[in-house]
Amino acid sequence: MIVVMNNSASSGEINRVKEHIKHLGYKPHNVRIQISPSQTDHKISQQIIGEHIEDLPGVVNILEDSPQEKLASRNHRRENTLVRVGEVVFGDGNAVMIAGPCAVESRDQVLETANRVRENGAQVLRGGAFKPRTSPYSFQGLGERGLEFLAEAREITGLPVVTEAVDQESARLVAQYADMIQIGARNMQNFSLLEAVGKLGKPVLLKRGMSATLKETLLSAEYIMSNGCPDVVVCERGIRTFSRHSRNTLDLGFIPAFKSESHLPIIVDPSHASGRHDSILPLSYAAIGAGADGIMVDVHSHPEHAKVDGFQAILPGEFAEMMANLRALAKVLHRNIGSI
Ligand code: PEP
Ligand code: MN
């Protein structure tokens, strides 16, 4: 439900309405949207909440909410949202490159990979310190020690860090060390985690759930945004299909559809989408062709010894080749692949 306030309503009047909404057990959010005169002419007052509020000073009307009027929606904000992570900008038309190991395994591994990907133009370092594993017996990540290694890699390379939080406790730690908090596919609908992460004051990388629709993805972004964080980047990372040749199926059509529905930036993770290193380069080219605002890719110097997802990691040399080809491709599309 939207309570339309008069343009000249005072902050006192606005606060009074907000208090009233809270008193009724709802959560008020400030939004600035365009309301046509015909919408304000048409009074909707049958709702109980409306009967309480419509007589307060400064209130023009009460409109029924609709899915088109949510914070993550293009209807709420026409222009693309720019999300800043350190000096890096997502959503300005250029593509941001995020690279690094799937999991932080050791100090040496992270520092070496960070240096190699930086040399080749990566702008953000990835690496999981908390790993959401399908099996409880698999490597679960180094936890806070992994975050310390990532922070050291940032010191040395200057690359901002994105890393995953798997629960509220790890989210608080991640917010202390990282520049951007990643929410993994398995947690896309962990609503209490989304609410908590929205309050931590850091940009969020929200990965699409493996069976999530566009609307469900937007509503998960909405959980984060409505808790105070406007800086959400969504990541398409493949969906579960009947395919046996790849881990997931990269849903390229999601990118233009998402862009028409939302003002938020969207990037692509070809590593988790395909699960195989021989598909990463072609899928990244396709993603940039489809308009993605960036790529997040697993890079490992010794994938045969990787503790997690080695088969889908590319070598630093392959990352260099990928960057060269992406730069050429982006040029044709009048875009840039960002570099330091
Ligand atoms: C990851 O990026 O490390 C990861 C676990 O990906 P996803 O949540 O997409 O499976
Ligand atoms: Mn992985």
Side-chain angles (χ1 to χ4, degrees):
M1 174 162 303
I2 295 177
V3 178
V4 183
M5 300 297 296
N6 203 317
N7 248 341
S8 59
S10 68
S11 54
E13 287 170 341
I14 294 171
N15 285 339
R16 188 163 162 205
V17 170
K18 284 167 106 174
E19 284 309 314
H20 213 89
I21 291 170
K22 281 192 214 156
H23 187 70
L24 291 166
Y26 298 89
K27 208 158 139 195
H29 302 288
N30 278 354
V31 292
R32 286 200 170 268
I33 55 174
Q34 294 239 304
I35 303 272
S36 66
S38 64
Q39 280 179 292
T40 46
D41 285 350
H42 179 63
K43 293 251 177 208
I44 301 165
S45 55
Q46 67 271 35
Q47 280 85 3
I48 299 163
I49 181 174
E51 284 165 13
H52 286 278
I53 288 174
E54 64 187 6
D55 297 331
L56 292 178
V59 174
V60 175
N61 198 4
I62 297 186
L63 305 177
E64 259 179 309
D65 205 354
S66 79
Q68 285 76 42
E69 288 154 344
K70 301 281 191 277
L71 301 176
S73 158
R74 267 257 184 240
N75 287 335
H76 165 54
R77 188 185 150 94
R78 291 261 140 232
E79 62 281 18
N80 290 336
T81 281
L82 304 184
V83 174
R84 285 169 214 282
V85 178
E87 312 223 310
V88 177
V89 180
F90 290 84
D92 67 356
N94 299 323
V96 173
M97 300 303 297
I98 307 176
C102 179
V104 176
E105 297 168 13
S106 70
R107 179 176 178 275
D108 287 352
Q109 173 236 19
V110 175
L111 295 187
E112 193 212 330
T113 315
N115 278 316
R116 297 295 305 275
V117 298
R118 187 196 179 280
E119 274 162 27
N120 290 299
Q123 293 165 284
V124 181
L125 176 66
R126 66 148 289 148
F130 296 93
K131 296 303 301 177
R133 304 307 303 283
T134 303
S135 164
Y137 307 118
S138 303
F139 176 63
Q140 305 284 318
L142 296 181
E144 188 165 6
R145 203 153 55 91
L147 297 177
E148 286 167 7
F149 297 153
L150 286 167
E152 192 179 347
R154 174 184 48 218
E155 283 296 303
I156 293 170
T157 60
L159 296 177
V161 165
V162 59
T163 190
E164 180 163 355
V166 292
D167 52 24
Q168 294 192 33
E169 201 185 328
S170 57
R172 277 189 293 275
L173 274 176
V174 165
Q176 283 171 31
Y177 288 90
D179 303 280
M180 186 180 212
I181 306 171
Q182 179 174 324
I183 296 296
R186 288 155 194 80
N187 271 318
M188 190 202 84
Q189 290 190 309
N190 183 340
F191 300 121
S192 56
L193 178 59
L194 300 179
E195 287 179 339
V197 159
K199 294 177 183 143
L200 289 172
K202 292 272 164 139
V204 177
L205 179 62
L206 175 67
K207 298 191 85 174
R208 179 187 180 191
M210 58 187 84
S211 64
T213 62
L214 174 45
K215 189 180 164 93
E216 286 163 345
T217 309
L218 282 177
L219 288 172
S220 289
E222 197 75 25
Y223 264 97
I224 300 168
M225 299 174 85
S226 63
N227 278 281
C229 171
D231 301 317
V232 178
V233 176
V234 168
C235 179
E236 158 59 29
R237 45 77 72 204
I239 49 171
R240 183 66 62 86
T241 68
F242 55 81
S243 150
R244 291 284 172 273
H245 64 272
S246 62
R247 182 172 174 180
N248 293 293
T249 297
L250 179 59
D251 183 5
L252 282 171
F254 192 76
I255 302 161
F258 183 89
K259 283 188 163 289
S260 90
E261 297 281 322
S262 178
H263 52 87
L264 296 173
I266 176 161
I267 66 166
V268 164
D269 175 349
S271 305
H272 289 83
S274 72
R276 44 190 293 175
H277 56 90
D278 58 0
S279 298
I280 310 300
L281 275 64
L283 290 183
S284 68
Y285 307 151
I288 294 303
D293 294 298
I295 302 282
M296 178 157 87
V297 63
D298 287 6
V299 178
H300 201 292
S301 296
H302 306 285
E304 66 284 8
H305 297 131
K307 286 200 166 91
V308 186
D309 288 347
F311 193 68
Q312 71 188 33
I314 56 172
L315 296 162
E318 290 172 302
F319 180 67
E321 177 190 339
M322 172 176 156
M323 288 298 290
N325 288 334
L326 282 177
R327 285 197 182 99
L329 178 63
K331 211 165 171 185
V332 178
L333 298 167
H334 311 291
R335 307 179 63 196
N336 285 312
I337 303 297
S339 61
I340 302 286

